[in-house]
Amino acid sequence: MSTLQGDEPELALGDSGEYVTRLQDGLRGLGLFDRYSDGTFDDATEMAVRQLQGMAQLAGDGVVRRDTWEALDAYLTAAAPAVPAGSEYIPRLEHVHPAIQEDARFASFHEFLNERGS
């Protein structure tokens, strides 16, 4: 299942907004961006984009074009664990970004899910 809507714009250093937040969320999901998504395409975002582009063997210019959006989508959908229809999915800690794992709210929620699923 694709994460793309088809209207993703070209993004570069200095841009901001909803699509930058979506980009940062995706990069976080791959472990390439270790900060909270703030919707500002800054140096850290550009570095993460360059890493993604290198992984996908794209021109590593830090500009997000259609090919970079598609690479992000491909990695995200490949990394997503398959969940059987009708089942509940409890995320495994190794599938959750380290910054989220350290948040006490996540730890207590994860513990609750594990107890409920037992």
Side-chain angles (χ1 to χ4, degrees), residues 88-93 95 110 112-118:
E88 292 185 38
Y89 175 65
I90 299 174
R92 296 175 50 110
L93 282 179
H95 294 151
H110 191 264
F112 165 76
L113 289 176
N114 280 325
E115 288 173 3
R116 188 171 162 243
S118 302

Side-chain angles (χ1 to χ4, degrees), residues 51-102:
Q51 288 178 317
L52 170 65
Q53 290 171 331
M55 289 168 41
Q57 300 179 348
L58 301 173
D61 60 4
V63 177
V64 179
R65 297 181 186 85
R66 188 80 196 150
D67 59 351
T68 304
W69 281 113
E70 289 173 354
L72 179 63
D73 178 64
Y75 280 108
L76 287 172
T77 55
V83 181
S87 70
E88 292 185 38
Y89 175 65
I90 299 174
R92 296 175 50 110
L93 282 179
E94 61 267 18
H95 294 151
V96 178
H97 192 277
I100 296 171
Q101 291 178 21
E102 294 169 8

Side-chain angles (χ1 to χ4, degrees), residues 1-8 22 66 69-73:
M1 181 174 167
S2 177
T3 63
L4 298 177
Q5 296 177 347
D7 60 349
E8 290 77 13
R22 287 181 46 202
R66 188 80 196 150
W69 281 113
E70 289 173 354
L72 179 63
D73 178 64

